[in-house]
Amino acid sequence: MRYGLTLTCGIKALRIEQGMKVVDLGCGDGYFTAAIARQVGAGRVIGLDLDPVMLEQAQAACEGMSNCSWLLGDAMALSRLLDASVDYVLIANTFHGVPDKTALAREVAKALKPNGRFAIVNWHPLPREQTTVLGQPRGPKTAMRMSVEQTRTVVEPAGFRLETLVELPPYHYGAVFIRAI
């Protein structure tokens, strides 16, 4: 339960607020989706994933929550998959593996309302063997991990500026960008 409480605090620290319409991009098993759904209350969270099996797991994680909806599709088509602009897009623990990160950020910008936020939760660029959970190394390969500056370098050219940086102990940070154009 303690980790769940930490996740809830992290979602708040990332400036996800009551009433927002949020996309959990690459929602995976729904771990973040469920926390976002609790935070936005009467708002809405849309879980999007390319993998139908993961989308089913996310739906199960959010069972009983009436403010969740689901999209099966490619993040690079986000703006075309949504029926309206959103307040916020979160991508957690997967941005490091996106082949064209700036192109994805441009696609996110198209999906956001003016002054919308794009948050990226990344692993700190520590050696993988130092990021252990239950005694086992976790996270992406060391070479794939991105510093805050590396993240800024690929996101800001897409029309964003860094609004805030949030520490998400023990191994992550959240870079919250605001749509500048």
Side-chain angles (χ1 to χ4, degrees):
M1 184 64 167
R2 185 170 183 266
Y3 191 71
L5 188 58
T6 303
L7 179 61
T8 300
C9 293
I11 293 296
K12 287 179 184 176
L14 290 170
R15 300 187 177 176
I16 295 176
E17 301 165 0
Q18 289 279 322
M20 282 184 161
K21 187 173 182 181
V22 178
V23 173
D24 183 5
L25 198 59
C27 66
D29 65 7
Y31 183 70
F32 283 88
T33 318
I36 293 166
R38 287 188 290 275
Q39 176 62 23
V40 299
R44 184 135 212 86
V45 60
I46 302 162
L48 180 135
D49 207 282
L50 188 60
D51 183 339
V53 174
M54 296 307 292
L55 210 54
E56 286 177 18
Q57 289 179 18
Q59 290 171 333
C62 296
E63 188 174 345
M65 296 181 181
S66 61
N67 62 348
C68 300
S69 57
W70 310 99
L71 286 173
L72 177 64
D74 188 336
M76 295 303 289
L78 178 63
S79 67
R80 295 179 301 282
L81 293 170
L82 296 172
D83 58 8
S85 297
V86 297
D87 301 298
Y88 200 107
V89 175
L90 170 75
I91 185 168
N93 296 325
T94 56
F95 191 70
H96 61 270
V98 173
D100 189 339
K101 294 165 185 63
T102 303
L104 177 62
R106 282 189 190 101
E107 183 60 24
V108 168
K110 286 191 244 178
L112 286 170
K113 293 177 181 175
N115 297 312
R117 291 186 177 114
F118 178 32
I120 301 167
V121 173
N122 268 338
W123 291 78
H124 278 293
L126 299 168
R128 187 171 191 270
E129 45 287 343
Q130 290 180 16
T131 56
T132 58
V133 176
L134 301 174
Q136 296 296 315
R138 294 287 193 257
K141 295 176 184 175
T142 303
M144 294 181 76
R145 296 175 184 221
M146 300 175 68
S147 69
V148 173
E149 283 308 310
Q150 289 170 315
T151 301
R152 288 181 73 177
T153 297
V154 296
V155 172
E156 289 179 344
F160 289 96
R161 69 173 167 75
L162 184 65
E163 182 181 40
T164 192
L165 187 62
V166 178
E167 283 300 316
L168 301 168
Y171 306 125
H172 295 83
Y173 66 87
V176 181
F177 295 88
I178 192 161
R179 185 175 160 211
I181 55 172

